[in-house]
Amino acid sequence: QVQLVESGGGLVQAGGSLGLSCAASSRTFSPYTMGWFRQAPGAEREFVARITWSGGSTSYSDSVKGRFTISRDIAKNMIYLQMNNLKPEDTAVYYCAARGYGDSEYKYWGQGTQVTVSS
């Protein structure tokens, strides 16, 4: 029904920057919220950042606040995650997620993209 397509993962040195992109493939999909989650090796998936579609209100986890920035392109149904001052502990598989107006939780998920930060 709705597919999320991610791009931008890769290797980066500590202190460097990396940008992730995610697009909803369906042009008829109007998300209520889109966000980013990540899962480090041996850990559970955790919230990173989210943005509401209507007002553009953002929210971040404490671990990335001040370093990461989430943004959206309404016309393209896309979100971005600009990651600055990356740390080795940011190494994880990053997932794009979306929820519609009728969804009580995130319903759609991307396949994940690997972000590796070297020290």
Side-chain angles (χ1 to χ4, degrees):
Q1 186 177 18
V2 177
Q3 289 183 304
L4 301 180
V5 182
E6 300 162 307
S7 62
L11 290 164
V12 64
Q13 189 176 6
S17 299
L18 195 65
L20 305 180
S21 300
C22 173
S25 60
S26 177
R27 291 187 175 183
T28 62
F29 178 61
S30 298
Y32 172 70
T33 301
M34 292 188 70
W36 293 95
F37 295 77
R38 68 186 183 185
Q39 187 171 17
E44 295 297 316
R45 183 166 55 195
E46 65 174 346
F47 166 79
V48 175
R50 72 163 188 256
I51 186 167
T52 63
W53 227 241
S54 180
S57 178
T58 60
S59 181
Y60 300 90
S61 68
D62 290 338
S63 61
V64 308
K65 192 174 300 181
R67 300 187 297 119
F68 292 9
T69 302
I70 187 172
S71 60
R72 76 195 194 284
D73 186 324
I74 297 176
K76 296 181 179 179
N77 270 6
M78 293 187 67
I79 62 167
Y80 309 91
L81 185 67
Q82 180 62 44
M83 303 181 291
N84 298 324
N85 192 25
L86 283 160
K87 305 175 180 180
E89 50 263 45
D90 294 319
T91 296
V93 177
Y94 283 70
Y95 297 90
C96 177
R99 54 190 288 191
Y101 290 97
D103 301 331
S104 59
E105 60 184 16
Y106 288 93
K107 184 178 181 179
Y108 308 102
W109 294 85
Q111 77 288 348
T113 183
Q114 178 70 45
V115 173
T116 303
V117 184
S118 63
S119 59

